Amino acid sequence: FLGVMGDNAAEKILCIVAYAILAIGLILTVIYAVIVGSMYGQYTTLMGWMIFFGGTIYTVIAWASLMVYLNISTNIREIKHELRRRK
């Protein structure tokens, strides 16, 4: 399957997964924070804000980590092609 997509298919798939995690994570974080924050209770508003900020930070860290792996993989591939070209 990856061979059909070309030389950088793994990077393309990783990029799609990274942006999907970012988008879905942010949407679900907002929804879950609003649901928890709107419940009746002593600490539910605080929990809603904690879920919002914690979920947002976690989602951005997960996205950024995948993007770092993507850049490392792309750089390694470029170095490999440059070394092959010099031979």
Side-chain angles (χ1 to χ4, degrees):
F1 175 70
L2 294 178
V4 175
M5 292 182 64
D7 194 29
N8 59 351
E11 285 88 356
K12 289 179 185 179
I13 292 171
L14 186 61
C15 185
I16 291 169
V17 168
Y19 280 106
I21 286 174
L22 181 66
I24 294 169
L26 290 177
I27 291 169
L28 291 178
T29 296
V30 169
I31 291 171
Y32 189 58
V34 168
I35 289 172
V36 170
S38 64
M39 291 179 178
Y40 180 75
Q42 186 176 3
Y43 298 109
T44 56
T45 303
L46 177 63
M47 284 178 34
W49 282 109
M50 288 172 43
I51 290 169
F52 175 74
F53 288 119
T56 302
I57 290 169
Y58 174 75
T59 300
V60 171
I61 288 172
W63 169 79
S65 299
L66 289 175
M67 294 307 287
V68 167
Y69 297 145
L70 174 67
N71 287 332
I72 290 171
S73 175
T74 303
N75 289 338
I76 289 172
R77 187 178 304 277
E78 289 176 5
I79 290 169
K80 183 177 83 172
H81 287 301
E82 183 66 25
L83 290 175
R84 283 186 182 170
R85 189 182 64 83
R86 289 185 182 184
K87 285 185 177 182

